[in-house]
Amino acid sequence: EVPVVILGAGLTGMSVALSLREANVDFRLFERLPWPGGHAVTIEDGGYRFDRTGHLLHVRTPSIREQVLGWIGDDHLVVQRNSRIWSHGVYTRYPFQANTFGLPPQVAYECVFGFLQAHFAETKPEPKNFEDFCDVHFGQGISRHFMIPYNSRLWGVPPSEITSAWCQRFVPLPALEDVIAGAVGLNDRELGYNTNFLYPRLGIGELTRSISRELGLIELSRAPRSIDFVRRRVHFDDEVVGYQVLVNTIPLPVLVGLLDGPPEPVREAAAKLRCTHLYYLDVALTGRCRQDLHWVYVPEPKYPFYRVGCYSNFSSAMAPAGKANLYVELASRSEPDLDQLLPGVIDGLSEMGLIGGPSEVAFVRLRKIEFAYVIFDAHHEPAMQVIRPFLEEIGMVSAGRYGEWTYSSMEDALLAGKQAATRAQQMLLHSSSRDSRTKT
């Protein structure tokens, strides 16, 4: 038996392990894949380096920033965000809601007038869902031309199915003066939580590599077969591992599926948790990207993708000298036929001025992220209110983006690991105290 078993060696799982090691608490850390890092990895392919789409370090907490800089060392860049929206045949600054300058006059008018109507409305109803949230805070013009179509493509479900609970931090709410200034081209400051970021020169996988080196033993290619939560044992193909506390960072529905005989309400709650998967393309170019942009939001349904980013604009070391590479996030959740899809993608990238045509594409790789975005629908919080106390009762802490079934950043993942380690230690102390009283 070991005091703590950790499932999943993504950023949260490794953060848990580091905190427990600092506290001299024994643990075993299991990862089903042959490598650690979860989504925070970098793949080398044909001399190009590809992350799992954009993984950028927006670090606000001083202690986490110091820790991250210790891991990535001097071989990193501090990057000022250069992102745009591509719509109606033009680029506008991010965020759309505060930068309508440059749009066709009728579109800009609808956006600004709609915002003014919403801003000065005598009554503002409480939003029932994210679509309502957009109408209340941005007005119908901004909602129709960007917020609704873009978020429909990002989440893979209509915004009317999503609550507004997730968006308070991640969707900038501009002040009236920002909208007016942005309509006439006078905005002189960047808005939003991600105005700058840290980025390892050789890709986000360098962060993972450094953490895993510091941590030491991670038991890779070890997927649990089942969990006996009554006897507190994890069953693998080759051994049974006892534990006092289990810290979970794998997707919550997967964890519940591993439990031997959980209560039916818990099983039913887990079945109601929804997320979207994501297909995306890694695109290697024969030359440089023709726009000096980090990423671009694409709301219009005529394009098969909703966001494009340029790895080599984060760091030139991500591609061979004089070349570039992109990630292209696809709007459809159906598995694409690459031969049929590619002409439309290349036409879109060409229209946006990112490439000059198909001759500039060296190769394309189709990738999939099975668990991408957690969907905050009406079932989300009621389901979590059933699952959370049950896991606590059986000696489990579930943490991180997929363990907590939430929307979060890499910094949040590291913080969640620290918090989960603290909670695990509290549970161990409580267990020891209870055992001591029982013996007495």
Side-chain angles (χ1 to χ4, degrees):
E1 181 179 290
V2 67
V4 180
V5 159
I6 307 165
L7 297 183
L11 291 182
T12 300
M14 290 192 292
S15 177
V16 174
L18 286 170
S19 295
L20 290 178
R21 192 176 68 179
E22 288 173 9
N24 294 314
V25 176
D26 288 337
F27 62 87
R28 290 178 71 177
L29 172 57
F30 298 98
E31 169 56 52
R32 70 177 180 85
L33 295 174
W35 57 81
H39 292 165
V41 294
T42 303
I43 301 167
E44 188 165 358
D45 187 344
Y48 297 81
R49 301 179 69 82
F50 300 99
D51 296 341
R52 298 275 279 167
T53 74
H55 273 73
L56 313 170
L57 286 158
H58 309 292
V59 187
R60 301 164 297 158
T61 308
S63 60
I64 295 293
R65 186 182 184 89
E66 182 180 354
Q67 196 169 29
V68 165
L69 288 173
W71 285 322
I72 61 179
D74 295 332
D75 199 19
H76 74 275
L77 304 159
V78 180
V79 185
Q80 298 300 309
R81 182 188 70 201
N82 186 14
S83 62
R84 293 290 185 272
I85 293 96
W86 172 262
S87 68
H88 301 89
V90 296
Y91 281 112
T92 53
R93 288 175 60 189
Y94 174 86
F96 182 95
Q97 54 266 34
N99 291 288
T100 54
F101 181 74
L103 289 168
Q106 181 63 33
V107 175
Y109 167 78
E110 291 173 10
C111 291
V112 176
F113 185 66
F115 179 84
L116 293 175
Q117 284 183 310
H119 183 79
F120 290 108
E122 292 184 7
T123 60
K124 295 189 178 184
E126 188 67 27
K128 297 183 180 67
N129 53 54
F130 184 53
E131 184 171 330
D132 289 347
F133 177 92
C134 294
D135 284 340
V136 167
H137 289 284
F138 304 121
Q140 292 188 356
I142 290 171
S143 295
R144 183 170 68 255
H145 290 295
F146 180 76
M147 297 301 298
I148 301 304
Y150 179 75
N151 280 286
S152 297
R153 288 151 65 77
L154 169 71
W155 296 96
V157 299
S160 59
E161 292 185 21
I162 303 172
T163 72
S164 59
W166 69 276
C167 62
Q168 303 301 320
R169 170 179 156 201
F170 296 99
V171 179
L173 294 177
L176 174 62
E177 54 268 31
D178 288 323
V179 174
I180 300 301
V184 296
L186 285 180
N187 254 350
D188 59 355
R189 64 191 181 95
E190 294 289 330
L191 302 176
Y193 75 99
N194 56 357
T195 55
N196 59 72
F197 55 91
L198 301 174
Y199 190 73
R201 189 178 63 87
L202 294 177
I204 201 62
E206 295 302 295
L207 171 67
T208 293
R209 211 177 335 269
S210 180
I211 298 173
S212 61
R213 272 200 306 266
E214 178 180 332
L215 186 56
L217 181 63
I218 300 172
E219 300 186 49
L220 301 173
S221 301
R222 299 293 307 280
R225 192 175 71 243
S226 64
I227 301 171
D228 181 342
F229 63 87
V230 175
R231 295 179 177 83
R232 301 201 178 189
R233 293 180 178 133
V234 183
H235 291 255
F236 294 88
D237 286 336
D238 57 349
E239 70 170 320
V240 177
V241 179
Y243 64 87
Q244 294 173 258
V245 175
L246 186 145
V247 179
N248 171 67
T249 71
I250 68 176
L252 200 47
V254 176
L255 172 71
V256 173
L258 288 171
L259 301 180
D260 287 337
E264 192 58 28
V266 173
R267 192 188 299 277
E268 290 175 356
K272 292 178 180 177
L273 296 177
R274 297 168 66 197
C275 76
T276 182
H277 59 266
L278 171 65
Y279 288 100
Y280 70 97
L281 306 177
D282 279 332
V283 181
L285 302 181
T286 58
R288 297 184 186 279
C289 181
R290 291 174 178 246
Q291 298 283 346
D292 187 25
L293 299 172
H294 295 130
W295 64 89
V296 181
Y297 304 92
V298 185
E300 293 173 305
K302 67 178 181 178
Y303 299 100
F305 46 82
Y306 67 85
R307 185 164 50 198
V308 180
C310 185
Y311 298 114
S312 48
N313 283 349
F314 303 154
S315 167
S316 60
M318 294 295 284
K323 299 182 181 181
N325 53 343
L326 313 173
Y327 60 90
V328 179
E329 296 176 80
L330 302 177
S332 173
R333 266 49 186 188
S334 299
E335 184 173 0
D337 180 316
L338 199 53
D339 291 336
Q340 292 184 1
L341 174 73
L342 212 47
V345 170
I346 290 174
D347 285 348
L349 297 177
S350 301
E351 188 180 334
M352 294 166 67
L354 296 169
I355 64 174
S359 64
E360 295 185 9
V361 176
F363 63 83
V364 176
R365 304 286 188 248
L366 175 63
R367 319 277 194 198
K368 183 182 182 183
I369 296 176
E370 191 62 48
F371 293 88
Y373 296 106
V374 168
I375 296 174
F376 289 80
D377 61 12
H379 298 293
H380 177 275
E381 189 52 33
M384 293 302 296
Q385 288 177 7
V386 172
I387 297 169
R388 284 192 200 104
F390 171 71
L391 294 181
E392 181 88 3
E393 182 184 327
I394 63 172
M396 293 188 184
V397 182
S398 201
R401 185 170 191 166
Y402 304 106
E404 294 178 69
W405 211 246
T406 190
Y407 186 88
S408 61
S409 66
M410 286 191 288
E411 178 187 30
D412 295 329
L414 295 169
L415 285 168
K418 291 176 178 288
Q419 292 161 1
T422 298
R423 182 66 190 125
Q425 291 173 72
Q426 292 169 344
M427 293 171 81
L428 287 171
L429 286 171
H430 179 72
S431 176
S432 298
S433 174
R434 185 182 59 214
D435 291 345
S436 176
R437 288 197 303 271
T438 301
K439 289 174 183 175
T440 302

